[in-house]
Amino acid sequence: MSSPILISLFGGIKLNPSSDRAIYLQLADMILALIKQGKLGSDQKLPSSRAVADLLSLNRLTVTKAYAELQMQGWLESFVGKGTFVSTHVPEIQPKQLKSTSTTKGQKQAGFALDSKSYRKNPFFVSTARLHLDHGYPDPTLAPLKELYRAYRTQLSCESRLYPRFGSYGQPDGADFYKEALSKYLNETRGLKTTHRNILSTRGTIMGINLVCSALIKPGDVVVSGIPGWQRLEHNFIHSWANHIGIPVDENGIVVDELRKICEKRKVRMVYITPHHHYPTTVSLSIDRRLELLALAKEFGFIIFEDDYDFDFHYNHRPLLPLISADDQGMVIYGGSFSKSISPAFRVGYLVAPENVIEHLSNTRMLLDRQGDHILDNAMAELLNDGTITRYLRKALAVYEKRRNHFCDLLRSELNNVVDFVVPEGGMTVWTTFDKSINLSELSTQAYEKNLYISDGLVHKYPDYDENAIRLGFASSTIEELSESVNILKSLIFKG
């Protein structure tokens, strides 16, 4: 290595043997940085691999692999008998002093424009608090995780079912074994009339909504839902450039009379509902309004998206069957998920619709996600077929009802003067309205400092709806944790 400039350049390379990144890749990164900075120009000959190895105290093979990596990327060219050169296709770059020459830190700002103003912010918060009165999550300690593990392991070893598809792609709408098991389960538990061709496997309700918006909603289409509602869902409408209109929700669910007024003036494309337990208020859509809604859909030709996120948890009496069970016109798309039954980390959901809709949604799904996890789907099918899910839900229902009763008793006895609520007939949360004197944002912050998570209520506020209310989830906490959580709230509210 005769050039003192090259000796200086390559001698300044610092490698980190304790890094997770291989040494030859680190070396390739450093050489690439020299090229991008203009310190190694187009068609410039590089030192031999032996010379670099001696200078940096490396194995020659390591340097050879680094050169080969950059050749594969098109940055270097190698000629037998001549050596290795910076590619002639690399433009001449005038060297300049960079603020940082480190290659270990990620970029903070893109070099291209982002139209972020066209999109709503979708913040998320992952709580690390020990206690939580969440938005309505199940208790994963009750879930049949051992059974799921065994079923998943069986799928991995059961070549008769998976082979030859195991080594290739499958159907975008889901594995037939899962869809057949799910069709049977939904027909038996919800009064549906489906075959496996009416089902599309998803990774949860939000994916199902996104698929429907992508495939069936055009810019300017009118989409209606209840207010207050689920803002993550509403942002999907906005993302599709739909015209979202909110209608009121009372003790009997969405006010269908208001929907009719809209339909008489404008062409409505889709109505989104959570009829079993409205999100976030937990009220059920009354039977007369269900029938009226189906009649309106038939009359005005709009889609009903029925999100039945917690059908399995109803305490006072048998739940009303889904709207889709009474739909003989093919107007309803039904969405469900096992994430709310077992765990949010368990991403298995589904859409139910007429066959031609499923085909259309499957075609759209190919652009987003070639297929779901067929192995997980089939493992879930095993639990549906052998009755594991039914037994688990029966056990969890009893536990959650006990927790609901205990939690509501605590709210009455400890916070009676500052909260108002109706004991929910089902679901996993209590829609709780706080006295106007209580600042929920401050209460949320103070509670988190005491290791308790509660919502600050901002996701439930709208320009024309400003109740001082939040969802307080009880299902994911033990009796002891619920008592401790309410005591913390009580100490913060009445500390004066």
Side-chain angles (χ1 to χ4, degrees), residues 333-490:
I333 298 176
Y334 181 79
S337 171
F338 291 103
S339 300
K340 288 293 187 293
S341 301
I342 297 177
S343 168
F346 185 67
R347 307 309 300 166
V348 176
Y350 52 86
L351 293 176
V352 180
E355 291 181 21
N356 66 327
V357 176
I358 295 299
E359 291 172 5
H360 185 59
L361 294 175
S362 298
N363 186 55
T364 303
R365 193 245 181 88
M366 293 274 286
L367 303 176
L368 169 70
D369 183 23
R370 173 58 179 79
Q371 67 184 57
D373 186 340
H374 284 202
I375 301 175
L376 181 58
D377 283 353
N378 283 340
M380 187 67 197
E382 297 279 7
L383 302 191
L384 290 170
N385 287 336
D386 68 13
T388 296
I389 292 299
T390 300
R391 292 190 295 273
Y392 155 69
L393 291 173
R394 189 182 302 119
K395 177 184 71 173
L397 184 65
V399 173
Y400 294 161
E401 182 176 12
K402 183 178 180 180
R403 292 177 181 179
R404 179 203 64 170
N405 295 341
H406 179 73
F407 185 57
C408 289
D409 288 343
L410 286 172
L411 292 179
R412 286 195 195 96
S413 63
E414 305 301 317
L415 303 176
N416 185 49
N417 295 326
V418 294
V419 299
D420 184 33
F421 66 94
V422 174
V423 179
E425 295 179 341
M428 303 182 190
T429 64
V430 178
W431 177 244
T432 310
T433 302
F434 285 73
D435 187 272
K436 290 290 186 181
S437 63
I438 297 174
N439 185 314
L440 287 177
S441 292
E442 292 181 2
L443 182 63
S444 174
T445 300
Q446 294 167 357
Y448 200 71
E449 291 173 354
K450 292 184 176 293
N451 230 2
L452 167 64
Y453 168 79
I454 63 169
S455 169
D456 59 12
L458 295 179
V459 295
H460 305 311
K461 293 186 181 298
Y462 293 79
D464 297 322
Y465 183 90
D466 190 22
E467 290 293 320
N468 202 38
I470 56 175
R471 287 165 65 89
L472 296 178
F474 55 82
S476 59
S477 301
T478 65
I479 294 292
E480 294 73 21
E481 289 169 341
L482 290 171
S483 297
E484 187 177 354
S485 298
V486 173
N487 282 335
I488 290 174
L489 292 179
K490 180 180 179 180

Side-chain angles (χ1 to χ4, degrees), residues 125-265:
F125 175 73
V126 179
S127 171
T128 59
R130 181 176 61 86
L131 301 170
H132 38 85
L133 299 175
D134 49 49
H135 292 275
Y137 304 144
D139 185 347
T141 65
L142 302 176
L145 299 182
K146 292 181 179 178
E147 292 84 349
L148 176 62
Y149 167 73
R150 285 197 293 267
Y152 195 91
R153 184 177 59 185
T154 298
Q155 291 302 314
L156 288 175
S157 62
C158 186
E159 293 187 1
S160 62
R161 179 170 296 131
L162 294 175
Y163 189 83
R165 294 191 303 276
F166 185 66
S168 62
Y169 289 110
Q171 300 165 190
D173 55 341
D176 281 343
F177 183 60
Y178 168 66
K179 291 185 295 178
E180 288 166 359
L182 181 58
S183 172
K184 181 175 181 290
Y185 175 77
L186 295 176
N187 292 348
E188 292 175 351
T189 61
R190 290 155 170 77
L192 274 58
K193 306 175 185 66
T194 67
T195 72
H196 71 282
R197 289 185 292 273
N198 296 116
I199 291 173
L200 185 145
S201 171
T202 69
R203 298 182 186 272
T205 302
I206 200 68
M207 178 182 179
I209 280 288
N210 188 272
L211 277 177
V212 168
C213 287
S214 298
L216 300 174
I217 304 300
K218 297 178 181 178
D221 280 351
V222 174
V223 180
V224 179
S225 67
I227 299 296
W230 182 20
Q231 290 193 4
R232 193 83 71 199
L233 157 94
E234 294 158 6
H235 291 179
N236 268 277
F237 301 153
I238 295 169
H239 184 74
S240 299
W241 299 99
N243 185 351
H244 176 234
I245 300 177
I247 58 176
V249 176
D250 62 20
E251 65 275 10
N252 293 310
I254 62 168
V255 180
V256 180
D257 285 343
E258 294 298 319
L259 175 60
R260 173 175 284 280
K261 293 176 183 178
I262 295 171
C263 290
E264 290 172 346
K265 295 179 181 178

Side-chain angles (χ1 to χ4, degrees), residues 9-163:
L9 287 178
F10 279 79
I13 290 176
K14 303 297 181 183
L15 304 174
N16 181 9
S18 62
S19 172
D20 292 336
R21 190 162 176 80
I23 292 295
Y24 83 92
L25 291 176
Q26 292 185 48
L27 178 58
D29 292 342
M30 295 297 182
I31 296 173
L32 178 57
L34 294 175
I35 295 172
K36 289 183 175 180
Q37 294 165 19
K39 295 178 180 179
L40 293 175
S42 174
D43 203 31
Q44 182 168 355
K45 185 177 181 180
L46 299 188
S48 68
S49 58
R50 184 186 301 277
V52 176
D54 290 343
L55 181 64
L56 300 178
S57 300
L58 297 174
N59 187 300
R60 184 181 177 186
L61 180 60
T62 300
V63 182
T64 301
K65 289 177 67 177
Y67 279 6
E69 175 70 20
L70 293 174
Q71 277 184 252
M72 184 174 63
Q73 296 180 26
W75 293 99
L76 300 182
E77 297 174 319
S78 181
F79 302 95
V80 177
K82 293 185 178 181
T84 301
F85 298 79
V86 177
S87 173
T88 56
H89 299 293
V90 175
E92 290 292 338
I93 302 174
Q94 293 298 321
K96 63 180 181 180
Q97 184 65 40
L98 300 180
K99 292 181 180 180
S100 172
T101 58
S102 172
T103 60
T104 59
K105 294 182 179 179
Q107 290 281 357
K108 291 185 177 181
Q109 296 291 328
F112 49 85
L114 288 177
D115 186 16
S116 58
K117 292 182 180 179
S118 298
Y119 297 89
R120 293 295 181 93
K121 293 292 184 182
N122 284 284
F124 63 90
F125 175 73
V126 179
S127 171
T128 59
R130 181 176 61 86
L131 301 170
H132 38 85
L133 299 175
D134 49 49
H135 292 275
Y137 304 144
D139 185 347
T141 65
L142 302 176
L145 299 182
K146 292 181 179 178
E147 292 84 349
L148 176 62
Y149 167 73
R150 285 197 293 267
Y152 195 91
R153 184 177 59 185
T154 298
Q155 291 302 314
L156 288 175
S157 62
C158 186
E159 293 187 1
S160 62
R161 179 170 296 131
L162 294 175
Y163 189 83

Side-chain angles (χ1 to χ4, degrees), residues 265-291:
K265 295 179 181 178
R266 309 184 64 174
K267 175 65 176 176
V268 173
R269 176 57 172 166
M270 186 168 75
V271 176
Y272 170 87
I273 56 170
T274 48
H276 190 215
H277 303 125
H278 173 71
Y279 187 96
T281 66
T282 75
V283 299
S284 296
L285 186 63
S286 61
I287 185 64
D288 58 320
R289 291 189 181 179
R290 291 169 182 248
L291 296 175

